[in-house]
Amino acid sequence: MSEKRVLIWSPYASWGYHAMQEATLAHALANHGHQVLFLGCNGLFRSCGVYRETTVPRDPGSCQWCMSTASRNLASVASAHRWLGDVIPGPTQAAVDTWAAGLPDHELLDAEWMGRPVGAWATSSALYQFRAETLDLDDPHQAGIARNIVHGTALSWEGLSVVFDQYAPDVLLTLNGRFFSHRVALEL
């Protein structure tokens, strides 16, 4: 068996149970001669599945806590890891910021970034925030969270595209395809 390049997209690596499952797989893959790279989130997303509006809302220290916990979890696997936000050029981040800010509320879940249906990919995560079957985009709070997630989906596309081009993984390992950034990884 030839060596494979394995990318583990783990933006929620602060969730210890999932991170340890990924770590176990990473060790097994490395022991079989494969090259493994963990990729995590470094506070890039304005809304995410770790912090949910209905159960664990974000506070000013949330991302710092998440990153430090993720760093500890990723360090325990003794594998290389990078942060998604470090690979997205500043002008690209600014372009996504401007684009997302200009979207009309009622078009958020149908939004496309560079021809990609990021609004559709973001919908499940937006619903997850409120544990709801539908979103009320006339409600400024719900529309704001949906906008954040659409924004994060476009940033995920940009950052993961760079990593896929640079690292050229043969295999992708990720928690699932339901959350917005995981969906982007599967689409790529």
Side-chain angles (χ1 to χ4, degrees), residues 132-153:
E133 290 182 27
T134 60
L135 287 177
D136 179 2
L137 296 177
D138 291 327
D139 175 341
H141 182 65
Q142 288 190 30
I145 297 299
R147 182 178 311 283
N148 289 346
I149 293 171
V150 168
H151 175 267
T153 307

Side-chain angles (χ1 to χ4, degrees), residues 78-94:
S79 291
H81 74 273
R82 293 177 70 185
W83 299 113
L84 186 66
D86 293 343
V87 302
I88 303 173
T92 300
Q93 287 190 28

Side-chain angles (χ1 to χ4, degrees), residues 21 23 30 32 34-35 56 61 106 115 124 138 145 156 169 175 177 182 184-185:
Q21 287 181 330
H32 283 87
H34 302 293
Q35 185 178 350
V56 186
H106 66 280
S124 179
D138 291 327
I145 297 299
S156 295
L175 175 64
H182 299 89
V184 169

